[in-house]
PDB file of all heavy atoms in Angstrom:
ATOM      1  N   VAL O 273       0.862  -1.168   0.000  1.00  0.00           N
ATOM      2  CA  VAL O 273       0.000   0.000   0.000  1.00  0.00           C
ATOM      3  C   VAL O 273       0.907   1.228   0.000  1.00  0.00           C
ATOM      4  O   VAL O 273       2.030   1.179   0.509  1.00  0.00           O
ATOM      5  CB  VAL O 273      -0.937   0.011   1.240  1.00  0.00           C
ATOM      6  CG1 VAL O 273      -0.121   0.024   2.540  1.00  0.00           C
ATOM      7  CG2 VAL O 273      -1.890   1.187   1.210  1.00  0.00           C
ATOM      8  N   GLU O 274       0.438   2.302  -0.573  1.00  0.00           N
ATOM      9  CA  GLU O 274       1.258   3.507  -0.645  1.00  0.00           C
ATOM     10  C   GLU O 274       0.926   4.457   0.495  1.00  0.00           C
ATOM     11  O   GLU O 274      -0.234   4.678   0.820  1.00  0.00           O
ATOM     12  CB  GLU O 274       1.049   4.213  -1.986  1.00  0.00           C
ATOM     13  CG  GLU O 274       2.167   5.184  -2.335  1.00  0.00           C
ATOM     14  CD  GLU O 274       2.134   5.586  -3.799  1.00  0.00           C
ATOM     15  OE1 GLU O 274       2.471   4.745  -4.663  1.00  0.00           O
ATOM     16  OE2 GLU O 274       1.757   6.734  -4.070  1.00  0.00           O
ATOM     17  N   ARG O 275       1.967   4.984   1.123  1.00  0.00           N
ATOM     18  CA  ARG O 275       1.818   5.974   2.180  1.00  0.00           C
ATOM     19  C   ARG O 275       2.819   7.098   1.937  1.00  0.00           C
ATOM     20  O   ARG O 275       4.025   6.859   1.848  1.00  0.00           O
ATOM     21  CB  ARG O 275       2.071   5.357   3.556  1.00  0.00           C
ATOM     22  CG  ARG O 275       1.973   6.375   4.706  1.00  0.00           C
ATOM     23  CD  ARG O 275       2.387   5.739   6.015  1.00  0.00           C
ATOM     24  NE  ARG O 275       2.432   6.750   7.064  1.00  0.00           N
ATOM     25  CZ  ARG O 275       1.671   6.743   8.143  1.00  0.00           C
ATOM     26  NH1 ARG O 275       0.794   5.787   8.335  1.00  0.00           N
ATOM     27  NH2 ARG O 275       1.783   7.688   9.058  1.00  0.00           N
ATOM     28  N   GLU O 276       2.299   8.308   1.793  1.00  0.00           N
ATOM     29  CA  GLU O 276       3.134   9.499   1.568  1.00  0.00           C
ATOM     30  C   GLU O 276       4.116   9.270   0.425  1.00  0.00           C
ATOM     31  O   GLU O 276       5.274   9.676   0.474  1.00  0.00           O
ATOM     32  CB  GLU O 276       3.872   9.881   2.842  1.00  0.00           C
ATOM     33  CG  GLU O 276       2.955  10.265   3.991  1.00  0.00           C
ATOM     34  CD  GLU O 276       3.712  10.597   5.259  1.00  0.00           C
ATOM     35  OE1 GLU O 276       4.920  10.911   5.180  1.00  0.00           O
ATOM     36  OE2 GLU O 276       3.096  10.536   6.341  1.00  0.00           O
ATOM     37  N   GLY O 277       3.663   8.587  -0.610  1.00  0.00           N
ATOM     38  CA  GLY O 277       4.496   8.375  -1.793  1.00  0.00           C
ATOM     39  C   GLY O 277       5.445   7.195  -1.708  1.00  0.00           C
ATOM     40  O   GLY O 277       6.162   6.909  -2.669  1.00  0.00           O
ATOM     41  N   HIS O 278       5.450   6.478  -0.579  1.00  0.00           N
ATOM     42  CA  HIS O 278       6.339   5.331  -0.406  1.00  0.00           C
ATOM     43  C   HIS O 278       5.526   4.038  -0.320  1.00  0.00           C
ATOM     44  O   HIS O 278       4.552   3.982   0.434  1.00  0.00           O
ATOM     45  CB  HIS O 278       7.160   5.470   0.882  1.00  0.00           C
ATOM     46  CG  HIS O 278       8.136   6.593   0.867  1.00  0.00           C
ATOM     47  ND1 HIS O 278       9.387   6.498   0.302  1.00  0.00           N
ATOM     48  CD2 HIS O 278       8.035   7.857   1.362  1.00  0.00           C
ATOM     49  CE1 HIS O 278      10.024   7.652   0.444  1.00  0.00           C
ATOM     50  NE2 HIS O 278       9.223   8.483   1.087  1.00  0.00           N
ATOM     51  N   PRO O 279       5.912   2.999  -1.055  1.00  0.00           N
ATOM     52  CA  PRO O 279       5.245   1.704  -0.874  1.00  0.00           C
ATOM     53  C   PRO O 279       5.570   1.118   0.496  1.00  0.00           C
ATOM     54  O   PRO O 279       6.716   1.163   0.949  1.00  0.00           O
ATOM     55  CB  PRO O 279       5.836   0.839  -1.991  1.00  0.00           C
ATOM     56  CG  PRO O 279       6.460   1.791  -2.961  1.00  0.00           C
ATOM     57  CD  PRO O 279       6.904   2.968  -2.150  1.00  0.00           C
ATOM     58  N   VAL O 280       4.560   0.590   1.148  1.00  0.00           N
ATOM     59  CA  VAL O 280       4.728  -0.151   2.402  1.00  0.00           C
ATOM     60  C   VAL O 280       4.291  -1.585   2.115  1.00  0.00           C
ATOM     61  O   VAL O 280       3.123  -1.831   1.806  1.00  0.00           O
ATOM     62  CB  VAL O 280       3.876   0.457   3.531  1.00  0.00           C
ATOM     63  CG1 VAL O 280       3.974  -0.397   4.791  1.00  0.00           C
ATOM     64  CG2 VAL O 280       4.297   1.901   3.816  1.00  0.00           C
ATOM     65  N   VAL O 281       5.205  -2.518   2.201  1.00  0.00           N
ATOM     66  CA  VAL O 281       4.900  -3.898   1.850  1.00  0.00           C
ATOM     67  C   VAL O 281       4.022  -4.526   2.933  1.00  0.00           C
ATOM     68  O   VAL O 281       4.309  -4.444   4.126  1.00  0.00           O
ATOM     69  CB  VAL O 281       6.192  -4.711   1.653  1.00  0.00           C
ATOM     70  CG1 VAL O 281       5.914  -6.211   1.653  1.00  0.00           C
ATOM     71  CG2 VAL O 281       6.849  -4.318   0.333  1.00  0.00           C
ATOM     72  N   LEU O 282       2.935  -5.165   2.493  1.00  0.00           N
ATOM     73  CA  LEU O 282       1.973  -5.805   3.381  1.00  0.00           C
ATOM     74  C   LEU O 282       2.139  -7.316   3.441  1.00  0.00           C
ATOM     75  O   LEU O 282       1.580  -7.957   4.322  1.00  0.00           O
ATOM     76  CB  LEU O 282       0.543  -5.482   2.921  1.00  0.00           C
ATOM     77  CG  LEU O 282       0.155  -4.006   2.848  1.00  0.00           C
ATOM     78  CD1 LEU O 282      -1.253  -3.871   2.269  1.00  0.00           C
ATOM     79  CD2 LEU O 282       0.236  -3.353   4.212  1.00  0.00           C
ATOM     80  N   HIS O 283       2.863  -7.872   2.504  1.00  0.00           N
ATOM     81  CA  HIS O 283       2.954  -9.322   2.341  1.00  0.00           C
ATOM     82  C   HIS O 283       3.864  -9.896   3.429  1.00  0.00           C
ATOM     83  O   HIS O 283       5.090  -9.982   3.270  1.00  0.00           O
ATOM     84  CB  HIS O 283       3.512  -9.640   0.954  1.00  0.00           C
ATOM     85  CG  HIS O 283       3.199 -11.020   0.464  1.00  0.00           C
ATOM     86  ND1 HIS O 283       3.352 -12.147   1.238  1.00  0.00           N
ATOM     87  CD2 HIS O 283       2.737 -11.460  -0.736  1.00  0.00           C
ATOM     88  CE1 HIS O 283       3.015 -13.211   0.550  1.00  0.00           C
ATOM     89  NE2 HIS O 283       2.631 -12.819  -0.652  1.00  0.00           N
ATOM     90  N   THR O 284       3.261 -10.326   4.547  1.00  0.00           N
ATOM     91  CA  THR O 284       4.064 -10.793   5.673  1.00  0.00           C
ATOM     92  C   THR O 284       4.894 -12.026   5.325  1.00  0.00           C
ATOM     93  O   THR O 284       5.960 -12.234   5.909  1.00  0.00           O
ATOM     94  CB  THR O 284       3.164 -11.113   6.881  1.00  0.00           C
ATOM     95  OG1 THR O 284       2.179 -12.082   6.503  1.00  0.00           O
ATOM     96  CG2 THR O 284       2.449  -9.873   7.374  1.00  0.00           C
ATOM     97  N   HIS O 285       4.424 -12.841   4.373  1.00  0.00           N
ATOM     98  CA  HIS O 285       5.155 -14.054   4.020  1.00  0.00           C
ATOM     99  C   HIS O 285       6.486 -13.737   3.340  1.00  0.00           C
ATOM    100  O   HIS O 285       7.373 -14.600   3.294  1.00  0.00           O
ATOM    101  CB  HIS O 285       4.314 -14.938   3.093  1.00  0.00           C
ATOM    102  CG  HIS O 285       2.972 -15.275   3.668  1.00  0.00           C
ATOM    103  ND1 HIS O 285       1.926 -15.738   2.903  1.00  0.00           N
ATOM    104  CD2 HIS O 285       2.490 -15.209   4.927  1.00  0.00           C
ATOM    105  CE1 HIS O 285       0.865 -15.933   3.665  1.00  0.00           C
ATOM    106  NE2 HIS O 285       1.187 -15.619   4.901  1.00  0.00           N
ATOM    107  N   LYS O 286       6.628 -12.529   2.804  1.00  0.00           N
ATOM    108  CA  LYS O 286       7.868 -12.142   2.131  1.00  0.00           C
ATOM    109  C   LYS O 286       8.891 -11.556   3.097  1.00  0.00           C
ATOM    110  O   LYS O 286      10.060 -11.364   2.731  1.00  0.00           O
ATOM    111  CB  LYS O 286       7.566 -11.106   1.041  1.00  0.00           C
ATOM    112  CG  LYS O 286       6.699 -11.620  -0.106  1.00  0.00           C
ATOM    113  CD  LYS O 286       7.471 -12.547  -1.019  1.00  0.00           C
ATOM    114  CE  LYS O 286       6.647 -12.899  -2.256  1.00  0.00           C
ATOM    115  NZ  LYS O 286       7.387 -13.772  -3.185  1.00  0.00           N
ATOM    116  N   THR O 287       8.476 -11.247   4.319  1.00  0.00           N
ATOM    117  CA  THR O 287       9.370 -10.559   5.253  1.00  0.00           C
ATOM    118  C   THR O 287      10.590 -11.408   5.587  1.00  0.00           C
ATOM    119  O   THR O 287      11.702 -10.887   5.718  1.00  0.00           O
ATOM    120  CB  THR O 287       8.610 -10.182   6.532  1.00  0.00           C
ATOM    121  OG1 THR O 287       7.493  -9.370   6.178  1.00  0.00           O
ATOM    122  CG2 THR O 287       9.508  -9.399   7.482  1.00  0.00           C
ATOM    123  N   ASN O 288      10.422 -12.725   5.694  1.00  0.00           N
ATOM    124  CA  ASN O 288      11.572 -13.586   5.959  1.00  0.00           C
ATOM    125  C   ASN O 288      12.562 -13.576   4.801  1.00  0.00           C
ATOM    126  O   ASN O 288      13.778 -13.643   5.009  1.00  0.00           O
ATOM    127  CB  ASN O 288      11.110 -15.015   6.248  1.00  0.00           C
ATOM    128  CG  ASN O 288      10.594 -15.172   7.658  1.00  0.00           C
ATOM    129  OD1 ASN O 288      10.337 -14.195   8.357  1.00  0.00           O
ATOM    130  ND2 ASN O 288      10.428 -16.410   8.090  1.00  0.00           N
ATOM    131  N   ASP O 289      12.037 -13.482   3.568  1.00  0.00           N
ATOM    132  CA  ASP O 289      12.926 -13.382   2.412  1.00  0.00           C
ATOM    133  C   ASP O 289      13.738 -12.095   2.482  1.00  0.00           C
ATOM    134  O   ASP O 289      14.936 -12.081   2.159  1.00  0.00           O
ATOM    135  CB  ASP O 289      12.116 -13.409   1.117  1.00  0.00           C
ATOM    136  CG  ASP O 289      11.378 -14.721   0.907  1.00  0.00           C
ATOM    137  OD1 ASP O 289      11.806 -15.737   1.487  1.00  0.00           O
ATOM    138  OD2 ASP O 289      10.374 -14.722   0.179  1.00  0.00           O
ATOM    139  N   VAL O 290      13.081 -11.027   2.894  1.00  0.00           N
ATOM    140  CA  VAL O 290      13.768  -9.739   3.042  1.00  0.00           C
ATOM    141  C   VAL O 290      14.852  -9.844   4.106  1.00  0.00           C
ATOM    142  O   VAL O 290      15.994  -9.407   3.909  1.00  0.00           O
ATOM    143  CB  VAL O 290      12.762  -8.629   3.395  1.00  0.00           C
ATOM    144  CG1 VAL O 290      13.481  -7.331   3.747  1.00  0.00           C
ATOM    145  CG2 VAL O 290      11.788  -8.400   2.247  1.00  0.00           C
ATOM    146  N   ALA O 291      14.514 -10.426   5.255  1.00  0.00           N
ATOM    147  CA  ALA O 291      15.487 -10.553   6.339  1.00  0.00           C
ATOM    148  C   ALA O 291      16.671 -11.421   5.927  1.00  0.00           C
ATOM    149  O   ALA O 291      17.825 -11.101   6.225  1.00  0.00           O
ATOM    150  CB  ALA O 291      14.800 -11.127   7.572  1.00  0.00           C
ATOM    151  N   ARG O 292      16.389 -12.535   5.231  1.00  0.00           N
ATOM    152  CA  ARG O 292      17.479 -13.396   4.771  1.00  0.00           C
ATOM    153  C   ARG O 292      18.427 -12.627   3.853  1.00  0.00           C
ATOM    154  O   ARG O 292      19.659 -12.725   3.985  1.00  0.00           O
ATOM    155  CB  ARG O 292      16.922 -14.619   4.044  1.00  0.00           C
ATOM    156  CG  ARG O 292      18.011 -15.509   3.431  1.00  0.00           C
ATOM    157  CD  ARG O 292      17.416 -16.604   2.564  1.00  0.00           C
ATOM    158  NE  ARG O 292      16.973 -17.731   3.345  1.00  0.00           N
ATOM    159  CZ  ARG O 292      17.751 -18.766   3.701  1.00  0.00           C
ATOM    160  NH1 ARG O 292      19.021 -18.791   3.335  1.00  0.00           N
ATOM    161  NH2 ARG O 292      17.248 -19.760   4.397  1.00  0.00           N
ATOM    162  N   PHE O 293      17.848 -11.875   2.915  1.00  0.00           N
ATOM    163  CA  PHE O 293      18.668 -11.097   1.994  1.00  0.00           C
ATOM    164  C   PHE O 293      19.538 -10.096   2.754  1.00  0.00           C
ATOM    165  O   PHE O 293      20.736  -9.950   2.472  1.00  0.00           O
ATOM    166  CB  PHE O 293      17.764 -10.376   0.999  1.00  0.00           C
ATOM    167  CG  PHE O 293      18.507  -9.490   0.031  1.00  0.00           C
ATOM    168  CD1 PHE O 293      19.346 -10.028  -0.922  1.00  0.00           C
ATOM    169  CD2 PHE O 293      18.359  -8.110   0.082  1.00  0.00           C
ATOM    170  CE1 PHE O 293      20.030  -9.213  -1.815  1.00  0.00           C
ATOM    171  CE2 PHE O 293      19.033  -7.289  -0.799  1.00  0.00           C
ATOM    172  CZ  PHE O 293      19.872  -7.842  -1.753  1.00  0.00           C
ATOM    173  N   LEU O 294      18.955  -9.412   3.738  1.00  0.00           N
ATOM    174  CA  LEU O 294      19.727  -8.442   4.517  1.00  0.00           C
ATOM    175  C   LEU O 294      20.860  -9.117   5.282  1.00  0.00           C
ATOM    176  O   LEU O 294      21.981  -8.587   5.352  1.00  0.00           O
ATOM    177  CB  LEU O 294      18.798  -7.712   5.496  1.00  0.00           C
ATOM    178  CG  LEU O 294      17.773  -6.757   4.886  1.00  0.00           C
ATOM    179  CD1 LEU O 294      16.794  -6.271   5.948  1.00  0.00           C
ATOM    180  CD2 LEU O 294      18.455  -5.569   4.219  1.00  0.00           C
ATOM    181  N   MET O 295      20.593 -10.290   5.833  1.00  0.00           N
ATOM    182  CA  MET O 295      21.637 -10.997   6.582  1.00  0.00           C
ATOM    183  C   MET O 295      22.724 -11.521   5.654  1.00  0.00           C
ATOM    184  O   MET O 295      23.913 -11.449   5.966  1.00  0.00           O
ATOM    185  CB  MET O 295      21.014 -12.128   7.402  1.00  0.00           C
ATOM    186  CG  MET O 295      20.146 -11.626   8.558  1.00  0.00           C
ATOM    187  SD  MET O 295      19.510 -12.923   9.655  1.00  0.00           S
ATOM    188  CE  MET O 295      18.303 -13.740   8.587  1.00  0.00           C
ATOM    189  N   GLU O 296      22.323 -12.050   4.494  1.00  0.00           N
ATOM    190  CA  GLU O 296      23.314 -12.569   3.548  1.00  0.00           C
ATOM    191  C   GLU O 296      24.166 -11.453   2.956  1.00  0.00           C
ATOM    192  O   GLU O 296      25.340 -11.669   2.634  1.00  0.00           O
ATOM    193  CB  GLU O 296      22.608 -13.347   2.447  1.00  0.00           C
ATOM    194  CG  GLU O 296      22.010 -14.669   2.932  1.00  0.00           C
ATOM    195  CD  GLU O 296      21.232 -15.410   1.867  1.00  0.00           C
ATOM    196  OE1 GLU O 296      20.851 -14.778   0.852  1.00  0.00           O
ATOM    197  OE2 GLU O 296      20.994 -16.616   2.044  1.00  0.00           O
ATOM    198  N   GLU O 297      23.588 -10.266   2.824  1.00  0.00           N
ATOM    199  CA  GLU O 297      24.327  -9.117   2.296  1.00  0.00           C
ATOM    200  C   GLU O 297      25.103  -8.378   3.386  1.00  0.00           C
ATOM    201  O   GLU O 297      25.698  -7.330   3.122  1.00  0.00           O
ATOM    202  CB  GLU O 297      23.353  -8.150   1.619  1.00  0.00           C
ATOM    203  CG  GLU O 297      22.735  -8.678   0.335  1.00  0.00           C
ATOM    204  CD  GLU O 297      23.773  -8.890  -0.759  1.00  0.00           C
ATOM    205  OE1 GLU O 297      24.539  -7.946  -1.038  1.00  0.00           O
ATOM    206  OE2 GLU O 297      23.823 -10.014  -1.307  1.00  0.00           O
ATOM    207  N   LYS O 298      25.056  -8.899   4.614  1.00  0.00           N
ATOM    208  CA  LYS O 298      25.764  -8.318   5.757  1.00  0.00           C
ATOM    209  C   LYS O 298      25.329  -6.868   6.012  1.00  0.00           C
ATOM    210  O   LYS O 298      26.123  -6.003   6.365  1.00  0.00           O
ATOM    211  CB  LYS O 298      27.282  -8.379   5.559  1.00  0.00           C
ATOM    212  CG  LYS O 298      27.809  -9.759   5.164  1.00  0.00           C
ATOM    213  CD  LYS O 298      27.437 -10.822   6.184  1.00  0.00           C
ATOM    214  CE  LYS O 298      27.953 -12.198   5.790  1.00  0.00           C
ATOM    215  NZ  LYS O 298      27.520 -13.282   6.724  1.00  0.00           N
ATOM    216  N   ALA O 299      24.020  -6.630   5.844  1.00  0.00           N
ATOM    217  CA  ALA O 299      23.471  -5.286   6.020  1.00  0.00           C
ATOM    218  C   ALA O 299      23.007  -5.018   7.456  1.00  0.00           C
ATOM    219  O   ALA O 299      22.573  -3.914   7.766  1.00  0.00           O
ATOM    220  CB  ALA O 299      22.300  -5.069   5.056  1.00  0.00           C
ATOM    221  N   ILE O 300      23.105  -6.041   8.316  1.00  0.00           N
ATOM    222  CA  ILE O 300      22.733  -5.872   9.724  1.00  0.00           C
ATOM    223  C   ILE O 300      24.004  -6.014  10.545  1.00  0.00           C
ATOM    224  O   ILE O 300      24.524  -7.131  10.733  1.00  0.00           O
ATOM    225  CB  ILE O 300      21.684  -6.923  10.145  1.00  0.00           C
ATOM    226  CG1 ILE O 300      20.433  -6.795   9.273  1.00  0.00           C
ATOM    227  CG2 ILE O 300      21.329  -6.762  11.621  1.00  0.00           C
ATOM    228  CD1 ILE O 300      19.358  -7.837   9.556  1.00  0.00           C
ATOM    229  N   PRO O 301      24.556  -4.913  11.034  1.00  0.00           N
ATOM    230  CA  PRO O 301      25.878  -4.946  11.680  1.00  0.00           C
ATOM    231  C   PRO O 301      26.022  -5.997  12.771  1.00  0.00           C
ATOM    232  O   PRO O 301      27.047  -6.686  12.838  1.00  0.00           O
ATOM    233  CB  PRO O 301      26.006  -3.519  12.244  1.00  0.00           C
ATOM    234  CG  PRO O 301      25.193  -2.681  11.317  1.00  0.00           C
ATOM    235  CD  PRO O 301      24.028  -3.542  10.928  1.00  0.00           C
ATOM    236  N   ASP O 302      25.035  -6.156  13.639  1.00  0.00           N
ATOM    237  CA  ASP O 302      25.150  -7.103  14.755  1.00  0.00           C
ATOM    238  C   ASP O 302      25.227  -8.556  14.297  1.00  0.00           C
ATOM    239  O   ASP O 302      25.628  -9.427  15.078  1.00  0.00           O
ATOM    240  CB  ASP O 302      23.962  -6.947  15.706  1.00  0.00           C
ATOM    241  CG  ASP O 302      24.048  -5.679  16.537  1.00  0.00           C
ATOM    242  OD1 ASP O 302      25.091  -4.990  16.459  1.00  0.00           O
ATOM    243  OD2 ASP O 302      23.082  -5.363  17.250  1.00  0.00           O
ATOM    244  N   LEU O 303      24.859  -8.825  13.034  1.00  0.00           N
ATOM    245  CA  LEU O 303      24.822 -10.203  12.539  1.00  0.00           C
ATOM    246  C   LEU O 303      25.852 -10.460  11.444  1.00  0.00           C
ATOM    247  O   LEU O 303      25.838 -11.519  10.817  1.00  0.00           O
ATOM    248  CB  LEU O 303      23.414 -10.531  12.013  1.00  0.00           C
ATOM    249  CG  LEU O 303      22.257 -10.316  12.999  1.00  0.00           C
ATOM    250  CD1 LEU O 303      20.934 -10.683  12.338  1.00  0.00           C
ATOM    251  CD2 LEU O 303      22.459 -11.122  14.272  1.00  0.00           C
ATOM    252  N   ARG O 304      26.759  -9.527  11.202  1.00  0.00           N
ATOM    253  CA  ARG O 304      27.686  -9.646  10.075  1.00  0.00           C
ATOM    254  C   ARG O 304      28.625 -10.832  10.190  1.00  0.00           C
ATOM    255  O   ARG O 304      29.082 -11.381   9.181  1.00  0.00           O
ATOM    256  CB  ARG O 304      28.482  -8.354   9.933  1.00  0.00           C
ATOM    257  CG  ARG O 304      27.716  -7.266   9.197  1.00  0.00           C
ATOM    258  CD  ARG O 304      28.489  -5.981   9.107  1.00  0.00           C
ATOM    259  NE  ARG O 304      27.691  -4.939   8.476  1.00  0.00           N
ATOM    260  CZ  ARG O 304      27.926  -3.642   8.604  1.00  0.00           C
ATOM    261  NH1 ARG O 304      28.950  -3.224   9.343  1.00  0.00           N
ATOM    262  NH2 ARG O 304      27.154  -2.761   7.997  1.00  0.00           N
ATOM    263  N   GLY O 305      28.947 -11.250  11.386  1.00  0.00           N
ATOM    264  CA  GLY O 305      29.877 -12.368  11.540  1.00  0.00           C
ATOM    265  C   GLY O 305      29.240 -13.729  11.360  1.00  0.00           C
ATOM    266  O   GLY O 305      29.935 -14.747  11.404  1.00  0.00           O
ATOM    267  N   PHE O 306      27.915 -13.751  11.113  1.00  0.00           N
ATOM    268  CA  PHE O 306      27.185 -15.018  11.037  1.00  0.00           C
ATOM    269  C   PHE O 306      26.701 -15.301   9.621  1.00  0.00           C
ATOM    270  O   PHE O 306      26.409 -14.380   8.858  1.00  0.00           O
ATOM    271  CB  PHE O 306      25.978 -15.002  11.978  1.00  0.00           C
ATOM    272  CG  PHE O 306      26.339 -15.000  13.436  1.00  0.00           C
ATOM    273  CD1 PHE O 306      26.660 -13.815  14.086  1.00  0.00           C
ATOM    274  CD2 PHE O 306      26.366 -16.188  14.148  1.00  0.00           C
ATOM    275  CE1 PHE O 306      26.992 -13.814  15.434  1.00  0.00           C
ATOM    276  CE2 PHE O 306      26.692 -16.191  15.498  1.00  0.00           C
ATOM    277  CZ  PHE O 306      27.011 -15.003  16.141  1.00  0.00           C
ATOM    278  N   ASP O 307      26.612 -16.574   9.297  1.00  0.00           N
ATOM    279  CA  ASP O 307      26.039 -17.022   8.027  1.00  0.00           C
ATOM    280  C   ASP O 307      24.718 -17.734   8.299  1.00  0.00           C
ATOM    281  O   ASP O 307      24.558 -18.410   9.324  1.00  0.00           O
ATOM    282  CB  ASP O 307      26.993 -17.980   7.311  1.00  0.00           C
ATOM    283  CG  ASP O 307      28.300 -17.290   6.914  1.00  0.00           C
ATOM    284  OD1 ASP O 307      28.234 -16.146   6.438  1.00  0.00           O
ATOM    285  OD2 ASP O 307      29.365 -17.915   7.113  1.00  0.00           O
ATOM    286  N   VAL O 308      23.784 -17.613   7.358  1.00  0.00           N
ATOM    287  CA  VAL O 308      22.503 -18.298   7.486  1.00  0.00           C
ATOM    288  C   VAL O 308      22.705 -19.778   7.186  1.00  0.00           C
ATOM    289  O   VAL O 308      23.172 -20.152   6.105  1.00  0.00           O
ATOM    290  CB  VAL O 308      21.456 -17.698   6.530  1.00  0.00           C
ATOM    291  CG1 VAL O 308      20.140 -18.476   6.639  1.00  0.00           C
ATOM    292  CG2 VAL O 308      21.232 -16.218   6.826  1.00  0.00           C
TER     293      VAL O 308
END
């Protein structure tokens, strides 16, 4: 859904895919030393 010109993702089933991508790309500093 769009809010103030920005898409806000509603698909909760995709959130884990997003988190995995962030962890694999080392985009979360506290988790950079870990692999999925």
Side-chain angles (χ1 to χ4, degrees):
V273 60
E274 199 165 288
R275 178 186 174 118
E276 297 178 20
H278 294 277
V280 175
V281 165
L282 302 175
H283 201 314
T284 57
H285 305 162
K286 295 286 188 178
T287 303
N288 281 14
D289 296 337
V290 172
R292 175 188 278 273
F293 178 67
L294 291 171
M295 291 185 290
E296 290 176 342
E297 291 295 308
K298 310 303 180 184
I300 301 177
D302 287 353
L303 305 180
R304 279 178 184 159
F306 292 83
D307 296 318
V308 177

